[in-house]
Amino acid sequence: MAGYVSGAGGASAGPRVVAIANQKGGVGKTTTAINLGTALAAVGERVLVLDLDSQGNASTGLGIDQESRFKTSFDILTGAASILDTVLKTAVPNLFVVPANSDLVGIDTALAGDPQTRPFKLRDAVTALVGQQRNRPADTHFSYVLIDCPPSLNVLTLNAMTAAHAVLVPVQCEFFALEGISQLKDSIEQIRASLNPRLEIQGVVLTMHDQRVSLSREVAANVRAFFGPKVYETVIPRNTRVAEAPSHGKPLLLYDYDCAGSQAYIRLATEIIEREKRFKAA
């Protein structure tokens, strides 16, 4: 937790940086980034979603059209812009986004000439953000940065984990849920050992859960057995409104506040904040 102080109502030594990662696609990373960010903003945090996926789905889901993405996370990683240079407002008060687009497909080529510092580009940008925040009013400080990672363990995910305090792992309640989780856990340990000793698994969130289906219940039990108390009590249900919201360019909480998915993300945000309070008090 070093360097992190919640921004709700006070000065911040720096935001809590969380990489939302799982190399398996379709598990709800982007949906979690968008809706967890919205829920945290709704309870008083000032949140930045940093889109680090070349598909730019988090940007689209937060209502940012392609024509508005003048500066993106690609510019941050290549040193052409700072985080604050790229931040855009969303329709949600206290929720902001650094957009992404297909430029990120070329990031390996763009950083090929600088192999020694390549994993640290985003970390350096976050460090610069912390310095900039010290010179700005406290009510403009970000208390959370949520990084939406691509569905692979590439240079983008490496940058995210090197910059982050913690990793949040969404796991879909389906047959192959645990496939690759051991690899992800090993990758986190390798990054801890070589690049970012502070990195921890923030928690594991079960997504697309259907209590009526025995397979969902079995997978949830297996994930809890594998990760133990790292798994949040809150489970994100399979819900058609969750799937519909991105096509409207809205977070779920704006699209349908009362649906089961929205309420689950509010509970998840509350659980994350409470868990961090207990961690800091220990």
Side-chain angles (χ1 to χ4, degrees):
M1 299 291 290
Y4 167 73
V5 177
S6 177
S12 174
R16 173 72 161 166
V17 183
V18 180
I20 300 175
N22 186 332
Q23 74 270 27
K24 185 171 172 54
V27 300
K29 289 185 296 295
T30 298
T31 300
T32 297
I34 291 171
N35 294 299
L36 176 58
T38 302
L40 286 167
V43 297
E45 302 292 340
R46 199 165 190 268
V47 184
L48 176 63
V49 173
L50 200 156
D51 193 344
L52 214 60
D53 188 344
S54 61
Q55 297 180 69
N57 289 337
S59 308
T60 301
L62 287 168
I64 309 299
D65 57 43
Q66 290 286 345
E67 292 72 26
S68 300
R69 303 176 197 182
F70 301 110
K71 295 181 180 180
T72 68
S73 52
F74 178 88
D75 297 297
I76 293 172
L77 293 170
T78 57
S82 70
I83 289 176
L84 288 181
D85 289 335
T86 64
V87 169
L88 298 175
K89 292 181 178 179
T90 74
V92 180
N94 289 324
L95 181 64
F96 301 81
V97 62
V98 169
N101 59 21
S102 59
D103 288 350
L104 282 176
V105 171
I107 195 63
D108 282 298
T109 301
L111 299 181
D114 201 5
Q116 296 301 316
T117 63
R118 183 167 57 179
F120 303 104
K121 299 296 185 181
L122 189 57
R123 186 200 67 179
D124 292 346
V126 171
T127 300
L129 172 66
V130 173
Q132 289 172 313
Q133 286 197 159
R134 291 196 183 103
N135 299 318
R136 294 163 64 89
D139 61 359
T140 67
H141 294 186
F142 294 114
S143 50
Y144 282 88
V145 175
L146 305 180
I147 308 172
D148 184 33
C149 295
S152 60
L153 295 174
N154 59 14
V155 68
L156 295 170
T157 304
L158 182 63
N159 263 269
M161 291 189 183
T162 304
H165 297 99
V167 182
L168 178 63
V169 185
V171 177
Q172 184 180 0
C173 293
E174 53 122 54
F175 184 71
F176 294 109
L178 291 178
E179 186 180 279
I181 289 292
S182 294
Q183 182 186 353
L184 177 63
K185 201 171 182 182
D186 290 343
S187 297
I188 292 170
E189 289 305 317
Q190 290 171 13
I191 292 169
R192 278 173 56 90
S194 60
L195 298 172
N196 183 6
R198 69 183 176 180
L199 188 66
E200 61 181 355
I201 295 179
Q202 159 106 9
V204 177
V205 57
L206 295 162
T207 64
M208 305 180 195
H209 183 266
D210 189 340
Q211 184 60 34
R212 301 166 300 178
V213 178
S214 60
L215 178 60
S216 277
R217 298 195 300 272
E218 290 170 13
V219 170
N222 289 338
V223 172
R224 291 190 187 279
F226 188 81
F227 282 104
K230 287 288 185 182
V231 184
Y232 291 106
E233 291 299 321
T234 301
V235 174
I236 309 301
R238 184 175 293 278
N239 184 274
T240 57
R241 306 300 270 176
V242 174
E244 291 171 0
S247 66
H248 295 268
K250 291 181 179 181
L252 181 62
L253 274 73
L254 288 189
Y255 181 63
D256 187 346
Y257 180 84
D258 294 321
C259 76
S262 288
Q263 295 304 304
Y265 276 111
I266 291 171
R267 290 194 300 274
L268 178 63
T270 302
E271 190 175 352
I272 286 173
I273 291 170
E274 288 302 315
R275 184 180 288 191
E276 290 188 3
K277 284 180 179 176
R278 292 195 300 271
F279 185 89
K280 286 192 292 182

